[in-house]
Amino acid sequence: MGSRAAGSVLLRHLCPRVSSSTSAAAHAHAQRPPLAGAGGGGVALWARLLSTSAAAAKEEAAASKENTGSTAAAKAEATKAAKEGPASATASPVASSYWGIEASKLASKDGVEWKWSCFRPWETYSPDTTIDLKKHHEPKVLLDKVAYWTVKALRVPTDIFFQRRYGCRAMMLETVAAVPGMVGGMLLHLRSLRRFEHSGGWIRALLEEAENERMHLMTFMEVAKPRWYERALVLAVQGVFFNAYFLGYLLSPKLAHRVVGYLEEEAIHSYTEYLKDIEAGKIENVPAPPIAIDYWRLPAGATLKDVVVVVRADEAHHRDVNHFASDVHFQGMDLKDIPAPLDYH
């Protein structure tokens, strides 16, 4: 009987609440406007939906008009340049200024307008041609011997293919020599990001080396035009060498830098032989390309011989930097612990 009494008390308390909630729901249902039909609530709802769609359509139309305006501005500039005739054809191309980005107008020290976009006036320099060209790192430990004989093995097919065609040889050499600096700088950059640490300036030093080697290539392209099969060879050699050096640097940076040091020693030897053929009259001592005169601050009457001399000095500097970097690793330190040599370029 106790449980029955408790149940009756509970029902007496709940019944008023249930009945009140039911009546409230019925009242709300009665006051709710119909969604379909000709009722006023349905018309208001459809009006709100239509106004939202109209606003979105206006935004899309405005964006389309803006894009059309930028395209029209670019077309107008191109049409104007075409109407100006041959005089504008020789000038540098002008892109649309819609984005607010304009080419900076630079001048050399003589006040002449700067015509090169691949390097700037403050990036030019005078190489140290008094650098010791006979320095050589004697291989003693196993890794040094591996690096030395790897480079010597790579020289054999190069000698067979190019023989004494040093213009084409230099061009081919620079397509390979510009790879290590970029790979090393890239990997040091990623390491600096992962470890939240500085690089000691070595990222910049290695990227400057890669850029300097690329400028060697831009120069020798004006002296010796590559044939189609030489271009194909560059594609194959660069693809293989990039991946091999990338893996080598990941496994052993000291071995990678030592390989580059020995490669630069071979480059010094090749450019020395190039100079001998120029001095002997076997290769014509043509005027230096304008890009070389501006990049190395050579005199106006500079010749190919002067270009080879300064390029050889650059290679000697790269030799010293990479052998030094390898020595740092051999001594158990990281490159970030030793300031990078940034005073050459």
Side-chain angles (χ1 to χ4, degrees):
M1 295 299 292
S3 60
R4 290 181 182 179
S8 60
V9 172
L10 181 62
L11 286 174
R12 282 197 301 271
H13 283 284
L14 289 177
C15 282
R17 297 183 183 180
V18 172
S19 60
S20 63
S21 62
T22 304
S23 61
H27 178 72
H29 180 72
Q31 296 295 325
R32 184 179 300 161
L35 293 179
V43 173
L45 177 62
W46 281 109
R48 286 196 298 270
L49 292 176
L50 290 175
S51 63
T52 305
S53 302
K58 288 181 180 179
E59 291 180 359
E60 291 180 1
S64 176
K65 185 177 180 181
E66 187 177 354
N67 291 336
T68 304
S70 63
T71 306
K75 289 182 178 179
E77 292 183 4
T79 304
K80 181 180 178 181
K83 289 181 179 179
E84 291 179 355
S88 63
T90 57
S92 57
V94 178
S96 172
S97 59
Y98 172 75
W99 303 109
I101 299 176
E102 298 180 359
S104 56
K105 295 182 180 180
L106 303 175
S108 61
K109 292 182 178 180
D110 302 331
V112 181
E113 184 178 357
W114 191 255
K115 58 183 178 180
W116 307 108
S117 58
C118 53
F119 64 99
R120 301 302 188 186
W122 55 85
E123 295 174 337
T124 64
Y125 65 100
S126 298
D128 179 16
T129 55
T130 63
I131 192 170
D132 189 355
L133 301 173
K134 297 181 179 180
K135 280 185 179 179
H136 169 65
H137 182 274
E138 193 68 31
K140 297 179 180 179
V141 300
L142 178 61
L143 281 181
D144 285 353
K145 293 179 180 179
V146 170
Y148 179 78
W149 289 110
T150 298
V151 173
K152 286 297 183 181
L154 292 174
R155 180 180 171 180
V156 174
T158 306
D159 290 342
I160 296 174
F161 185 82
F162 291 104
Q163 298 180 2
R164 298 194 71 83
R165 294 186 296 120
Y166 286 107
C168 296
R169 186 191 187 108
M171 186 175 55
M172 179 67 182
L173 178 68
E174 299 302 342
T175 61
V176 175
V179 171
M182 179 60 66
V183 172
M186 175 186 68
L187 291 177
L188 289 180
H189 174 73
L190 295 177
R191 179 177 181 177
S192 175
L193 297 178
R194 289 194 309 270
R195 299 191 176 186
F196 304 94
E197 63 186 15
H198 293 285
S199 68
W202 280 96
I203 296 174
R204 181 180 174 185
L206 294 177
L207 293 181
E208 280 186 354
E209 176 186 317
E211 174 65 14
N212 182 246
E213 298 285 9
R214 191 185 66 84
M215 288 304 300
H216 293 176
L217 175 63
M218 297 297 104
T219 299
F220 283 111
M221 282 180 60
E222 302 295 327
V223 177
K225 301 297 182 182
R227 300 180 177 89
W228 68 267
Y229 58 85
E230 291 172 338
R231 291 178 179 270
L233 182 62
V234 167
L235 289 175
V237 172
Q238 190 182 81
V240 173
F241 184 73
F242 176 89
N243 289 284
Y245 191 80
F246 180 84
L247 293 175
Y249 203 98
L250 287 175
L251 297 175
S252 177
K254 55 186 174 184
L255 173 63
H257 282 293
R258 190 69 79 201
V259 167
V260 178
Y262 286 130
L263 280 174
E264 300 297 354
E265 290 185 15
E266 292 297 328
I268 295 171
H269 172 76
S270 296
Y271 285 117
T272 300
E273 294 296 315
Y274 198 174
L275 282 173
K276 289 180 180 179
D277 281 4
I278 293 175
E279 293 170 351
K282 296 179 181 179
I283 297 176
E284 184 181 0
N285 191 20
V286 297
I291 190 173
I293 293 176
D294 288 340
Y295 183 68
W296 283 288
R297 301 177 186 174
L298 298 175
T303 61
L304 177 60
K305 178 181 177 181
D306 300 317
V307 173
V308 176
V309 168
V310 294
V311 170
R312 184 178 61 174
D314 286 347
E315 305 295 1
H317 171 70
H318 300 157
R319 171 204 62 191
D320 296 346
V321 169
N322 280 277
H323 279 314
F324 174 71
S326 183
D327 289 344
V328 170
H329 284 291
F330 268 105
Q331 294 171 15
M333 296 181 289
D334 290 330
L335 291 181
K336 67 180 181 65
D337 300 327
I338 305 296
L342 293 171
D343 56 342
Y344 180 74
H345 296 291

